[in-house]
Amino acid sequence: MMAHLRKQLVVVGHGMVAHRFVQAAIERGLTETHDVVVVGEEQRPAYDRVALTSFFEVGAEALSLLPGGEYDDPRVRLLLGRQVRGFDPDSQTVLLDDGQVLSYDELVLATGAAPFVPPVPGHDLPGAFVYRTIEDLEAIRDAAATATVGAVVGGGLLGLEAAKALADLGLETHVVEMAPRLMAVQVDDAGGATLRRHVEGLGLHVHTGAMTTSVLGETRVTGLGLKDADDIHAEIVVFSAGIRPRDALARSAGLDVAERGGVLVDEQCRTSDPHVWAVGECAAPGGRMYGLVAPGYAMAEVAVDALLGGDGAFAGADMSTKLKLMGVDVASFGDAFATTDGALELVYSDAVAGVYKKLVLSEDGTRLLGGVLVGDASAYGVLRPMVASGIPLPANPEELILPVTSGSGGGVTLPDEAQVCSCNDVTKGDVVAAADAGETTRAGSTCGSCKSLVKKIIEDHFAAQGKVVDRSLCEHFSLTRQELFEVVAIHEHTSYDAVLAAHGNGGRGCDVCKPAVASVLASLLGHHVLEGANATVQDTNDAYLANIQRNGTYSVVPRIPGGEVTPEGLIVIGEVARDFGLYTKITGGQRIDLFGARMEELPAIWRRLVDAGFESGHAYGKSLRTVKSCVGSTWCRYGVQDSTQLAIDLELRYRGLRSPHKLKGGVSGCARECAEARGKDFGVIATEKGWNLYVGGNGGATPVHARLLAGDLSTETLVKYLDRFLMYYVRTADRLQRTAPWVDSLDGGLERVRAVVVDDVLGLGSELEAAMDRHVDGYSDEWKATLDDPDKLRRFVSFVNAPDVPDPHISFREERGQIAPAEPTGPVSLGATIPVGAP
């Protein structure tokens, strides 16, 4: 009997949608009958373009969707760094750039889209970039090292992401948008105005209704020319003015394309050739291109289904969007512009808090058609499914967006068919069924905006069944972090072993509970983290009072309160860096980081710094990092209060405070917000009458804008409220939970925090203040205490049996006049090996 011949499927492109197609092909059994060859033109496998801007913070590896570089299924072959020159539908062959020819039975085009660069004079000058790939971002980062001003052409989703990247790279940043408002496709005029105030409040310059006529410069970029407006000086220009489908391969092969670009496909994503398929941004189902990842994922699933003989169809996609731009929540869903006949608009606007919310209702006011949320999109998870499912509105629909409900959804119960994850087409029913079966869905794995809703669905489902939702810290403790904090405080435990013996479930503990309990003990006792047996339960950074780097060396960050340092202090830091051969960099928190210190060098480095009056900056700990400040009224003509002095006072008050996660603060001397206080866990902005206090903000991969807790406070009241807020957080937050998600997790959200901190409804105000006073009185510098204790110093050697021998595996190269790890992509080795020749 003749063996069945396997077919060959070629996928052109390896972006997010192509990766989803391959995943679905493997999971659904298509590789049982087909060998799959994937051709990607980038040197790296698929990565998360949705989170592209976070590359500057987390690096390329963290964005990768295929960290191992290959698929587990051996029937899938991945060719990277290769380009497809063309394909011939008649011979069913694909020609690669090196002359190799691949035969195919089925061909899938997943070539994505390319950035649109307006054909203005100078658009190709050195210093002009697009914002699409990791390589683009690397080039922008390198150029920013010698630039001071950057401009982004385009004020849409990606344009504002690019603007944030330039600002984070330290550039004065301009955003130029031809439309009359930012994010013109997603938000209306009022929402755009609110968003603009947020963006300008972060120090960016916004130019709307402005047409770019040229990129200025002879040999490289020097600025932007605008129609009917002054030129903008800039050394970097980033084009982010939309995308165009990459359909050139299909055009050359004679396939049908849409009038406005994109490969025409039917409802099963099949092109005009029956053996060629197209998915993602290069495809145009019904003549329309979809520029979001969720429709691309849906097309990938439909194409796999069709190749398996199924009858699934792509019937359009939900174009709703929710994201955080520069820490500002922005969401748009359904009929956001009220184009439906008879549509009604329900609007809530708070210009002071920077919040704008609009619901679009049916003419009879019974159904939700769409909406726009700017500044607070916490209700998005409930509102968007209501549009798709047609759930009747509650009697008082305004409760859906008024702050009193804190985005709780006004008591609305979602039906099982309500879609909760549009990226992966997961319904509430799918989530519940998976939870009952002990299985998983992909909900929350792409953009992450539905995670909180998914968590709530699961918890509510089990609670309705009379089950107790297990929020245990880990297998060794049947307690939450909050409960552990209380029992440690009540029983006055002083060691991890004592806590485990009294309240644990047996065993020796794990990497989850050990540092969590160690943090609780440090918060309550104020003891040195390397004191006694507790030294063995710290994580790697706390264990050595420094941050381990990718080559096994450590970074040293002395505290510079408020960013203020004397010339003498700078000289000492420079001399230490020079004498120990360290790499130096100024951080975003207004201090200086010294990289490349070997473990055995740390005490000597600390000694030099401590003798000069410096102390630990706690960059290694889950504790207060910095309180950033502007120069305030002392030097700035716009300043209305002494922000520098307040920042110094707050940093010295809260230094060393161990907490569930790191803490960052900021103080700005006026509403221009140069210290970026609203991007911090606590931020203070000066007013003519005193200080406004904002809480629950953060930067990072999921930035959040801090929200106003109280306004026009005296310094004394401000400190009182901050004491209460921080200690309330330390007591009640989950392990590794930043203040932003902690605030949202509370029943009542920010209003609950305000009730406890400002109104003192629990009567805990004095107790929380007293706890902070104990912390302040008991503070001591961990570096100095270590230097004064021979027992603690013994751990700072590379090899316990050869204390004077440095680790021979650590080496450096030179980069831009300073040291850098010799193997920039190599792993960190945490296990010491005995060097050859060591005694």
Side-chain angles (χ1 to χ4, degrees):
M1 184 175 180
M2 183 179 294
H4 176 68
L5 295 177
R6 292 180 59 78
K7 295 182 178 181
Q8 177 145 297
L9 187 153
V10 175
V11 180
V12 182
H14 195 235
M16 295 179 72
V17 173
H19 175 66
R20 170 53 62 86
F21 175 88
V22 176
Q23 281 184 314
I26 295 171
E27 292 169 1
R28 300 182 63 178
L30 188 60
T31 54
E32 297 294 330
T33 55
H34 290 71
D35 291 322
V36 180
V37 180
V38 185
V39 184
E41 64 180 348
E42 294 189 58
Q43 294 291 338
R44 50 174 53 90
Y47 52 87
D48 186 357
R49 293 188 197 274
V50 175
L52 186 62
T53 301
S54 65
F55 161 75
F56 293 116
E57 297 182 12
V58 302
E61 188 64 25
L63 295 179
S64 179
L65 301 178
L66 195 65
E70 59 184 20
Y71 291 95
D72 292 336
D73 192 327
R75 295 161 295 194
V76 178
R77 185 159 55 105
L78 181 59
L79 305 178
L80 296 176
R82 310 286 285 279
Q83 289 189 336
V84 172
R85 294 298 187 195
F87 67 92
D88 181 3
D90 293 330
S91 63
Q92 294 188 204
T93 56
V94 175
L95 176 64
L96 303 187
D97 54 356
D98 61 355
Q100 182 180 359
V101 176
L102 301 174
S103 297
Y104 69 83
D105 294 286
E106 305 291 341
L107 176 67
V108 177
L109 301 176
T111 49
F116 171 66
V117 178
V120 297
H123 70 271
D124 54 354
L125 281 171
F129 304 92
V130 294
Y131 197 85
R132 187 68 174 170
T133 68
I134 287 177
E135 283 69 25
D136 293 333
L137 270 63
E138 288 175 332
I140 292 170
R141 179 183 60 190
D142 293 344
T146 58
T148 58
V149 184
V152 177
V153 178
L157 296 175
L158 200 57
L160 292 180
E161 289 281 356
K164 177 185 184 301
L166 294 186
D168 287 347
L169 289 170
L171 302 186
E172 179 184 347
T173 303
H174 296 259
V175 180
V176 180
E177 169 57 48
M178 188 167 61
R181 62 181 180 273
L182 297 175
M183 287 186 64
V185 175
Q186 287 81 22
V187 304
D188 57 12
D189 287 338
T194 301
L195 178 59
R196 177 172 184 155
R197 286 195 294 272
H198 277 293
V199 173
E200 290 180 333
L202 295 173
L204 280 71
H205 308 282
V206 177
H207 311 263
T208 52
M211 177 182 293
T212 301
T213 57
S214 63
V215 179
L216 306 177
E218 296 293 331
T219 59
R220 66 169 296 108
V221 170
T222 60
L224 272 183
L226 305 181
K227 182 179 180 180
D228 301 327
D230 294 337
D231 295 343
I232 297 174
H233 163 70
E235 298 108 321
I236 291 177
V237 169
V238 178
F239 287 104
S240 185
I243 55 176
R244 298 293 184 269
R246 298 181 63 189
D247 56 12
L249 290 174
R251 289 177 184 271
S252 298
L255 300 188
D256 293 343
V257 295
E259 182 179 351
R260 300 184 63 181
V263 187
L264 272 176
V265 296
D266 62 17
E267 61 183 10
Q268 289 193 308
C269 297
R270 185 185 284 106
T271 71
S272 53
D273 184 288
H275 297 290
V276 181
W277 313 72
V279 295
E281 292 170 330
C282 71
R288 178 183 180 184
M289 175 210 177
Y290 293 85
L292 297 177
V293 69
Y297 281 178
M299 291 182 216
E301 298 282 355
V302 166
V304 169
D305 182 73
L307 285 164
L308 289 168
D311 57 2
F314 179 80
D318 182 2
M319 297 299 287
S320 301
T321 54
K322 176 182 180 290
L323 65 161
K324 284 186 172 65
L325 294 167
M326 306 179 190
V328 184
D329 274 334
V330 181
S332 173
F333 54 95
D335 183 10
F337 294 95
T339 58
T340 304
D341 289 342
L344 306 174
E345 295 186 353
L346 181 62
V347 175
Y348 167 78
S349 180
D350 183 347
V352 176
V355 173
Y356 171 80
K357 302 179 184 182
K358 180 181 79 173
L359 298 183
V360 180
L361 313 181
S362 59
E363 187 173 11
D364 59 4
T366 62
R367 278 196 315 116
L368 181 63
L369 303 179
V372 174
L373 306 171
V374 178
D376 176 13
S378 57
Y380 174 82
V382 169
L383 295 174
R384 186 191 55 76
M386 290 180 67
V387 175
S389 62
I391 303 171
L393 285 166
N396 299 304
E398 68 276 7
E399 292 182 1
L400 294 167
I401 55 174
L402 289 176
V404 66
T405 63
S406 301
S408 64
V412 173
T413 300
L414 297 178
D416 285 347
E417 63 271 17
Q419 186 187 62
V420 298
C421 176
S422 59
C423 291
N424 298 288
D425 191 23
V426 180
T427 66
K428 174 188 174 184
D430 294 334
V431 172
V432 170
D436 285 337
E439 299 173 351
T440 61
T441 69
R442 288 197 179 100
S445 63
T446 302
C447 76
S449 64
C450 62
K451 285 183 178 179
S452 59
L453 179 59
V454 171
K455 179 175 181 287
K456 186 176 188 302
I457 287 171
I458 293 174
E459 291 179 351
D460 289 350
H461 173 65
F462 285 134
Q465 295 178 344
K467 296 180 180 179
V468 177
V469 179
D470 186 3
R471 296 182 176 87
S472 300
L473 185 67
C474 68
E475 63 185 283
H476 301 103
F477 288 96
S478 301
L479 300 169
T480 65
R481 181 198 172 275
Q482 179 181 357
E483 290 166 341
L484 266 175
F485 190 99
E486 296 301 328
V487 298
V488 171
I490 292 170
H491 294 280
E492 299 181 346
H493 296 303
T494 60
S495 71
Y496 172 82
D497 291 339
V499 178
L500 183 64
H503 309 286
N505 300 325
R508 299 181 178 179
C510 64
D511 291 339
V512 173
C513 60
K514 286 181 178 179
V517 174
S519 174
V520 169
L521 291 169
S523 298
L524 285 168
L525 303 175
H527 291 176
H528 197 293
V529 293
L530 301 184
E531 195 71 47
N534 289 336
T536 62
V537 297
Q538 307 296 334
D539 66 19
T540 305
N541 291 335
D542 277 315
Y544 295 100
L545 309 181
N547 281 345
I548 192 167
Q549 303 300 318
R550 66 192 315 158
N551 67 338
T553 60
Y554 292 81
S555 70
V556 176
V557 187
R559 185 171 302 286
I560 301 179
E564 183 178 86
V565 61
T566 65
E568 291 76 17
L570 286 173
I571 290 170
V572 168
I573 293 174
E575 289 176 341
V576 169
R578 179 198 62 202
D579 295 348
F580 288 90
L582 306 177
Y583 169 84
T584 57
K585 192 175 190 308
I586 297 175
T587 74
Q590 297 181 334
R591 47 191 190 175
I592 300 173
D593 206 338
L594 310 176
F595 290 82
R598 296 172 182 268
M599 184 189 299
E600 65 272 11
E601 293 177 326
L602 290 173
I605 293 171
W606 297 338
R607 174 56 67 193
R608 292 273 295 274
L609 293 170
V610 168
D611 287 348
F614 289 102
E615 62 180 31
S616 168
H618 290 96
Y620 49 82
K622 300 296 186 286
S623 57
L624 179 76
R625 299 291 176 83
T626 64
V627 180
K628 187 175 181 179
S629 76
C630 64
V631 295
S633 58
T634 305
W635 289 93
C636 180
R637 65 185 187 276
Y638 299 115
V640 295
Q641 302 287 352
D642 189 351
S643 55
T644 304
Q645 184 62 60
L646 180 62
I648 292 171
D649 292 342
L650 294 179
E651 185 161 342
L652 294 180
R653 181 171 182 80
Y654 303 130
R655 58 185 172 177
L657 178 64
R658 296 284 167 162
S659 51
H661 210 304
K662 62 185 175 184
L663 287 167
K664 295 182 179 181
V667 184
S668 287
C670 73
R672 286 172 172 80
E673 245 284 72
C674 294
E676 302 168 328
R678 291 194 64 188
K680 304 292 188 283
D681 294 280
F682 62 89
V684 183
I685 301 177
T687 70
E688 294 288 349
K689 299 178 181 179
W691 308 97
N692 284 349
L693 174 59
Y694 297 83
V695 296
N698 61 252
T702 53
V704 179
H705 227 54
R707 290 167 282 176
L708 182 67
L709 182 68
D712 293 330
L713 304 174
S714 67
T715 302
E716 180 182 1
T717 303
L718 170 77
V719 172
K720 178 173 70 173
Y721 288 172
L722 257 179
D723 284 356
R724 294 177 179 180
F725 171 77
L726 292 174
M727 277 304 176
Y728 185 36
Y729 164 66
V730 168
R731 281 191 176 192
T732 62
D734 286 339
R735 164 185 168 270
L736 300 181
Q737 186 178 40
R738 291 290 299 270
T739 57
W742 167 70
V743 169
D744 289 338
S745 71
L746 297 173
D747 185 13
L750 182 65
E751 292 301 321
R752 179 60 175 175
V753 174
R754 184 177 288 115
V756 173
V757 171
V758 178
D759 302 331
D760 196 17
V761 294
L762 298 180
L764 292 174
S766 298
E767 184 178 331
L768 297 174
E769 293 167 39
M772 185 62 75
D773 286 340
R774 286 194 297 274
H775 160 74
V776 174
D777 293 341
Y779 171 79
S780 62
D781 176 29
E782 290 176 344
W783 286 353
K784 185 177 186 305
T786 301
L787 293 171
D788 293 342
D789 188 336
D791 289 336
K792 293 185 178 67
L793 284 175
R794 290 193 183 97
R795 67 174 42 237
F796 294 94
V797 294
S798 291
F799 307 101
V800 294
N801 58 346
D804 297 325
V805 178
D807 187 342
H809 298 97
I810 295 175
S811 58
F812 301 95
R813 58 188 169 90
E814 184 173 312
E815 183 176 271
R816 298 186 298 276
Q818 296 200 80
I819 64 166
E823 299 294 335
T825 59
V828 174
S829 175
L830 300 182
T833 56
I834 300 176
V836 175

